Amino acid sequence: MSKSEEKHQTRRRGADLEDAVLSAAWDLLKEVGYQEFTMAEVAKRANAAKPVLYRRWPEKSSLAASAIIKFGPKLDATIPDTGSLRGDLVTFFNQLIKIFDMFGAEKFRGLVTDRLKSIPIEKLFAAPNSDNMLQSAIEQILEQAEKRGEVDTSKLSPRVLQLPGVLFINEVVGQAVVTKQVIAQIIDEILIPVFTAKK
Amino acid sequence: MSKSEEKHQTRRRGADLEDAVLSAAWDLLKEVGYQEFTMAEVAKRANAAKPVLYRRWPEKSSLAASAIIKFGPKLDATIPDTGSLRGDLVTFFNQLIKIFDMFGAEKFRGLVTDRLKSIPIEKLFAAPNSDNMLQSAIEQILEQAEKRGEVDTSKLSPRVLQLPGVLFINEVVGQAVVTKQVIAQIIDEILIPVFTAKK
DNA sequence: ACATATAAGAAACTTTGGTATCTTATTTAT
DNA sequence: ATAAATAAGATACCAAAGTTTCTTATATGT
């Protein structure tokens, strides 16, 4: 038996093994979606033992989230600048739903609610030890708006800055499709009034 | 053996059995909270078989919700009338958190996220076939406000009417305690601007 | 090079949600 | 009264999350 065939003798460790697991997890997630995603199947595909997964990720939803962060579609880092707060928000949220649609929103079903069992909502859009992409995008959009005189960012509390994320998650958790109309309603009826409120 | 001792011969049915199960479920929920609440234990305490539970409730979270609706603290049906929209909202939400605190908010942990897997958020505060208590209370408060000239209810969409519920659920799902300060922030920074926005 | 620490691998196990099957008590209609 | 329909009860079962235990390969420090 040649050395290369002796798979059972070649143990991967550290990053190598981690990458293999995440890669298998991402493949499985694409194929079957979160609900049918099982730890045993990921382990099998990665030729790893189940405890290997649990030594790194405390639970299934955590592994799935890591795989999405590593291999999933990335949020476009460029912030729109359409000339108005409303336009920027509309453009930004439409980018966001496009990403979800690209991957297939139904593939995520169950993941968000599972994640919410162990992490607060404002960490949902953040990789570990990194900041909340969504919220920082909103902050940049609001700073642009302030330059135009549309808002006064000194009046905006953390709670208000988290509101777009909360509303977006709320739509994603619900089974309905997030359409452009829904986005427009959220922006016109809720976000703009809140951001432009006078204290 | 007297007839009354022959428990194994006396089969309860329909409402009798259902009540016994809900009662056992409520007791267990009070004792151990939702996370440690198991279907097997409820069945055991109710002297019922597990399939009896699943014939009536499709899943654990549904049984727990039914027990809370039947035996849990009830929302005070009287709508506050303090003379201002802000006062009414503050009073109402403080009533709401008092109910949660009375029962012990930590007892609910996990229930909301489980419920959200099968029902939309706007049904969370509604008994089956009945309307959303929280939302109808908000509507009444807003009608009072309209009489005072504080808002124009014709401008308020369903999405806006659901916002208080969404924000409240969001706080309940997060692990933080919902304090009076949090309530005041939500009302001042979000709800009032949204309700009083001019279209 | 060798001892020691670390973590992979294998496999069995525990717990719980949820289902399926079968028997039999109770209800309901005739 | 009796037959047929209904649903309770008992029990075994399945699937999957997560854990435990033990062996052994690899890495690391001396």
Side-chain angles (χ1 to χ4, degrees):
Chain A
M1 198 187 224
S2 82
K3 179 131 188 236
S4 66
E5 281 172 299
E6 299 177 274
K7 287 264 170 61
H8 55 288
Q9 301 248 26
T10 313
R11 285 188 184 175
R12 294 158 302 179
R13 291 198 155 206
D16 266 6
L17 182 56
E18 186 164 322
D19 289 353
V21 171
L22 285 172
S23 188
W26 173 242
D27 286 347
L28 183 58
L29 212 43
K30 276 188 297 183
E31 276 178 47
V32 304
Y34 180 74
Q35 315 259 32
E36 323 295 326
F37 175 92
T38 72
M39 296 300 262
E41 180 63 21
V42 173
K44 190 179 163 193
R45 290 183 179 210
N47 282 307
K50 213 148 53 114
V52 165
L53 316 201
Y54 284 103
R55 280 174 200 130
R56 291 171 168 75
W57 299 276
E59 64 210 3
K60 162 175 155 157
S61 67
S62 169
L63 170 57
S66 290
I68 292 170
I69 288 167
K70 179 150 188 182
F71 295 105
K74 271 131 196 80
L75 197 55
D76 184 355
T78 65
I79 302 297
D81 192 353
T82 62
S84 76
L85 172 59
R86 183 181 189 284
D88 288 355
L89 289 171
V90 166
T91 305
F92 177 74
F93 276 105
N94 282 327
Q95 273 174 22
L96 208 55
I97 58 170
K98 204 181 288 172
I99 289 173
F100 272 71
D101 288 350
M102 197 185 309
F103 180 52
E106 76 290 348
K107 296 276 173 64
F108 287 105
R109 193 130 306 146
L111 172 58
V112 172
T113 45
D114 273 6
R115 285 304 280 153
L116 287 176
K117 284 181 183 167
S118 40
I119 61 167
I121 200 165
E122 68 270 16
K123 294 218 174 110
L124 265 183
F125 279 93
N129 307 319
S130 118
D131 66 343
N132 182 332
M133 312 283 264
L134 200 158
Q135 189 173 331
S136 64
I138 295 291
E139 286 170 25
Q140 288 177 66
I141 288 174
L142 286 167
E143 272 160 35
Q144 289 178 1
E146 183 161 46
K147 284 185 194 135
R148 297 184 205 108
E150 290 185 279
V151 298
D152 177 354
T153 59
S154 71
K155 287 179 181 152
L156 303 175
S157 70
R159 164 158 266 109
V160 159
L161 294 173
Q162 281 167 17
L163 185 60
V166 169
L167 297 176
F168 189 75
I169 295 298
N170 181 45
E171 293 300 323
V172 171
V173 166
Q175 59 275 52
V177 197
V178 186
T179 61
K180 281 174 195 275
Q181 286 76 37
V182 168
I183 299 273
Q185 276 182 28
I186 291 175
I187 291 171
D188 290 327
E189 299 174 5
I190 302 176
L191 295 181
I192 303 268
V194 168
F195 290 149
T196 61
K198 286 129 182 54
K199 249 243 197 70
Chain B
M1 199 186 224
S2 80
K3 182 136 187 233
S4 67
E5 281 172 300
E6 298 178 274
K7 287 264 169 63
H8 56 287
Q9 301 249 23
T10 312
R11 284 189 185 175
R12 294 158 301 180
R13 290 198 153 205
D16 266 8
L17 181 56
E18 186 164 323
D19 289 354
V21 171
L22 285 173
S23 189
W26 174 244
D27 286 347
L28 183 58
L29 211 44
K30 275 189 297 182
E31 276 178 46
V32 304
Y34 180 74
Q35 314 260 32
E36 323 295 327
F37 175 92
T38 73
M39 296 299 262
E41 180 63 20
V42 173
K44 190 178 164 194
R45 290 184 179 209
N47 282 305
K50 219 161 32 130
V52 166
L53 316 201
Y54 284 103
R55 279 174 200 131
R56 290 172 169 75
W57 298 276
E59 63 209 3
K60 163 175 154 156
S61 67
S62 169
L63 170 57
S66 289
I68 291 171
I69 288 167
K70 178 151 190 183
F71 295 105
K74 269 125 196 90
L75 197 55
D76 185 355
T78 65
I79 301 298
D81 191 354
T82 62
S84 76
L85 172 59
R86 183 181 189 283
D88 287 355
L89 289 172
V90 167
T91 305
F92 177 73
F93 275 104
N94 282 326
Q95 272 174 23
L96 207 55
I97 57 169
K98 203 181 287 173
I99 288 172
F100 272 71
D101 289 350
M102 198 184 308
F103 181 52
E106 76 290 347
K107 297 275 173 63
F108 286 106
R109 193 132 304 145
L111 172 58
V112 172
T113 45
D114 272 6
R115 285 305 280 154
L116 287 176
K117 285 182 183 167
S118 40
I119 61 167
I121 198 165
E122 66 272 16
K123 294 220 174 109
L124 265 183
F125 279 93
N129 307 319
S130 120
D131 66 343
N132 182 333
M133 312 283 264
L134 199 158
Q135 189 173 331
S136 63
I138 295 291
E139 286 170 24
Q140 289 178 63
I141 288 173
L142 286 166
E143 272 159 35
Q144 289 177 0
E146 183 161 46
K147 285 185 196 139
R148 296 185 205 108
E150 291 185 278
V151 298
D152 177 355
T153 59
S154 71
K155 287 179 181 151
L156 303 175
S157 70
R159 164 160 265 109
V160 160
L161 295 174
Q162 281 167 17
L163 185 61
V166 169
L167 297 177
F168 188 75
I169 295 298
N170 180 47
E171 293 300 323
V172 171
V173 166
Q175 59 273 54
V177 197
V178 186
T179 60
K180 280 174 195 273
Q181 286 76 38
V182 168
I183 300 273
Q185 275 182 29
I186 291 176
I187 291 172
D188 291 328
E189 299 174 6
I190 303 177
L191 295 181
I192 302 267
V194 168
F195 290 149
T196 61
K198 287 132 183 50
K199 250 246 193 66

